[in-house]
Amino acid sequence: MIDRLRSGVAAGAIAGLAYGLFTWLVVSPVVRHLEHLASHGGDHGHDAAHTVGETTTAVVSAGGGVLWGILLGAAFGVAYHLFEPGLPSGTLRPYVLAGAGFLAVSVSPWTVLPPATPGMEPLYGSTLRVPLYLGLVVVGGIVAATSIFGYTRMSRTRGRGVGVFVALLPLVALGLLSIIAPPTLTGGASAGLSAAFRWLVGFSQAGLWGLIAVVFRRFDRRVDRRGTNSPTATARGTD
Amino acid sequence: MSTNTDTVADRFATAGAQIDPITALTALALVAALGFTLLFLQEPLAHDALHDFRHGAGIICH
């Protein structure tokens, strides 16, 4: 357990550094530019008056990216240790868990509350959005768990094709939720620009999870070789 | 990779036996504090400083 947590935090720190750099070099300038566009396009952005300077925002945001990576990495390590026996397909396990994490933490909240392009205004206050966000993370976790459980169950008895089909059902249900959900944002940049920014956000989060999984797997294999190579998996948790 | 002899329930049982509740609570509290600060803290100074990060990570509560 502690070994896994350590691997997770290390993987999260490395992935977080890369993500922080990405925030610094790509996200901050893009956000700055889009906000500039929004404030010159007539409707002023929601942050016409910043209480802190742009440099501070960029630095703290980059640091936030690093901490975000560490937080996700730590959660990843613990969850991996606890749920490893339930995850399908040997060496693919870290990637399955990373996909589940991405689905729960990012994709599921985005179905109702899509990423806001700079300059957009939320329609509802944060007192409504915060509980909604947390609730959707829980929903995402349930969707991911159902999907994985359905796959392992069905592929064991009915074959892999049926397993994949059953695994897709909860994901389709989540997709339907995004279609029927009412809009929560208004205004902002053009539709094309807004879509591009959302893809940027989506790919960067997916990349962060993917990087965590790749690095975690490397560290985990090293721990495996160095330490307890005994067949009992529980022996690993004893140090 | 480890062998498949144990189950998820076994892992939870082992973790429960090896880690005392206070340690688990402390770890959980730290994670919650970090998560809250990054995602939901509305205090203007912290909120504005994390602004780009929240946009970039697609976190709605910015």
Side-chain angles (χ1 to χ4, degrees):
Chain A
M1 175 84 148
I2 299 300
D3 273 344
R4 252 64 190 278
L5 178 60
R6 208 176 288 148
S7 299
V9 170
I14 289 173
L17 279 176
Y19 184 68
L21 199 65
F22 178 79
T23 308
W24 170 269
L25 294 176
V26 179
V27 175
S28 280
V30 168
V31 168
R32 199 69 52 243
H33 184 68
L34 286 179
E35 259 160 15
H36 190 70
L37 280 185
S39 62
H40 278 255
D43 57 342
H44 53 268
H46 64 289
D47 32 15
H50 272 303
T51 49
V52 287
E54 287 184 7
T55 321
T56 319
T57 306
V59 170
V60 176
S61 289
V66 178
L67 290 176
W68 181 234
I70 294 174
L71 181 69
L72 295 182
F76 183 91
V78 172
Y80 187 78
H81 180 73
L82 291 175
F83 295 107
E84 189 190 15
L87 295 172
S89 299
T91 53
L92 284 179
R93 278 173 176 165
Y95 306 106
V96 172
L97 184 64
F102 176 55
L103 186 78
V105 176
S106 290
V107 175
S108 171
W110 290 343
T111 56
V112 180
L113 304 159
T117 313
M120 279 182 161
E121 297 275 2
L123 283 177
Y124 309 103
S126 56
T127 42
L128 178 69
R129 279 180 291 142
V130 171
L132 193 58
Y133 187 89
L134 289 175
L136 284 164
V137 170
V138 174
V139 168
I142 293 170
V143 166
T146 331
S147 176
I148 291 171
F149 185 72
Y151 173 79
T152 46
R153 245 318 161 62
M154 283 300 157
S155 57
R156 201 179 302 143
T157 52
R158 305 260 174 94
R160 187 165 274 190
V162 182
V164 170
F165 177 74
V166 171
L168 283 177
L169 291 180
L171 304 181
V172 171
L174 195 66
L176 288 179
L177 179 66
S178 76
I179 294 170
I180 58 168
T184 51
L185 291 162
T186 174
S190 67
L193 206 55
S194 165
F197 182 77
R198 281 176 185 165
W199 281 112
L200 174 77
V201 168
F203 275 122
S204 67
Q205 290 303 298
L208 175 64
W209 281 102
L211 200 56
I212 289 177
V214 170
V215 181
F216 178 83
R217 196 165 159 249
R218 289 196 83 90
F219 280 123
D220 198 45
R221 277 166 69 192
R222 193 182 301 168
V223 170
D224 242 8
R225 249 172 303 174
R226 187 191 62 201
T228 55
N229 242 339
S230 64
T232 49
T234 43
R236 184 183 289 133
T238 51
D239 87 319
Chain B
M1 288 283 141
S2 66
T3 50
N4 249 332
T5 48
D6 56 349
T7 63
V8 174
D10 289 343
R11 292 287 172 97
F12 272 94
T14 324
Q18 282 171 356
I19 296 162
D20 67 305
I22 301 293
T23 314
L25 274 180
T26 313
L28 209 62
L30 283 174
V31 165
L34 182 54
F36 176 78
T37 311
L38 284 180
L39 304 186
F40 304 124
L41 191 59
Q42 298 293 324
E43 203 277 322
L45 210 59
H47 183 264
D48 266 13
L50 281 167
H51 174 261
D52 291 356
F53 162 71
R54 286 187 190 179
H55 261 304
I59 293 158
I60 302 93
C61 314
H62 68 277

